[in-house]
Amino acid sequence: MAILEILEAPHPILSQNARPVRPDELGPALQQRLSDMAETMYAAPGVGLAAPQVGDLRRMIVCDPGAGEEDEGRTLYLMVNPVIVERSKEMIEGDEQCLSVPEIVVRVKRHLRITMEWLPQGEPKRQDFEDWPAIVLQHELDHLQGSTLYDRASSLKRSRYLRSRKKAMATEYAR
């Protein structure tokens, strides 16, 4: 297992659409990649991570909406080619953060309930998600569509974020 580098906005990979995982890609190498993504997510620490965030433009997500809580409230999902097949009309609004856009908090409206389908290990899976897990998954699905919280932030927040990133990079290069 390995900790992968998490790309930060405005990295160009983060604005690209991820492609579906092909059937010939299913297997041990893909499972290893998902395991590495999960290890990276937990180490960050985070509750979700999409493949584009680690430079992989395939439709894959790992998430554990209960990360940071007691073990009994945690479930790790390894999702290949995830899609939302149903959405509630009822919406929920809350503050979100992102591993690829550190230092920004954005208020986002999401569907309260979603039904998703994906391939966990090559076998189709379908499940309903509500509240926090639904929010986490919708956030990660945004990454697969080439969208981050950076894109949802106000122009003021984006410019402050870019200034702080440039300052951090200048400090890092000065070492």
Side-chain angles (χ1 to χ4, degrees):
M1 293 176 73
I3 303 291
L4 306 169
E5 177 186 1
I6 297 174
L7 303 179
E8 294 184 4
H11 196 287
I13 286 178
L14 296 172
S15 63
Q16 296 181 41
N17 284 327
R19 68 165 177 81
V21 174
R22 297 183 314 265
D24 67 314
E25 294 177 295
L26 298 174
L30 187 76
Q31 287 306 310
Q32 183 60 55
R33 184 63 167 185
L34 290 165
S35 293
D36 291 346
M37 286 173 59
E39 184 176 358
T40 301
M41 175 194 70
Y42 285 127
V47 295
L49 188 69
Q53 292 179 272
V54 292
D56 190 330
L57 280 171
R58 293 182 287 181
R59 293 187 61 82
M60 300 185 299
I61 291 173
V62 298
C63 85
D64 181 349
E69 297 181 14
E70 294 181 29
D71 287 341
E72 65 237 19
R74 297 175 56 180
T75 302
L76 175 62
Y77 295 94
L78 306 175
M79 299 180 165
V80 175
N81 295 336
V83 292
I84 295 175
V85 294
E86 292 178 29
R87 295 173 170 84
S88 69
K89 290 183 181 177
E90 190 176 358
M91 305 293 281
I92 187 170
E93 187 174 22
D95 291 338
E96 294 185 21
Q97 294 178 288
C98 180
L99 297 175
S100 289
V101 194
E103 305 163 23
I104 286 186
V105 176
V106 178
R107 194 144 189 89
V108 180
K109 272 185 144 174
R110 303 280 188 190
H111 296 276
L112 179 62
R113 286 178 301 285
I114 59 173
T115 301
M116 290 189 58
E117 289 181 352
W118 72 94
L119 300 172
Q121 310 249 345
E123 296 295 321
K125 175 115 172 117
R126 181 183 180 107
Q127 186 170 334
D128 297 327
F129 296 92
E130 189 171 345
D131 296 319
W132 176 244
I135 291 167
V136 171
L137 287 164
Q138 289 171 84
H139 175 105
E140 299 311 325
L141 284 166
D142 283 354
H143 285 291
L144 301 182
Q145 302 301 330
S147 177
T148 66
L149 285 184
Y150 178 80
D151 302 310
R152 291 178 178 260
S154 68
S155 58
L156 177 63
K157 280 188 179 183
R158 283 195 307 269
S159 63
R160 283 182 180 166
Y161 170 76
L162 288 176
R163 278 196 305 273
S164 74
R165 296 306 307 145
K166 285 179 184 175
K167 188 183 287 186
M169 291 178 83
T171 303
E172 189 175 307
Y173 288 132
R175 289 183 189 170

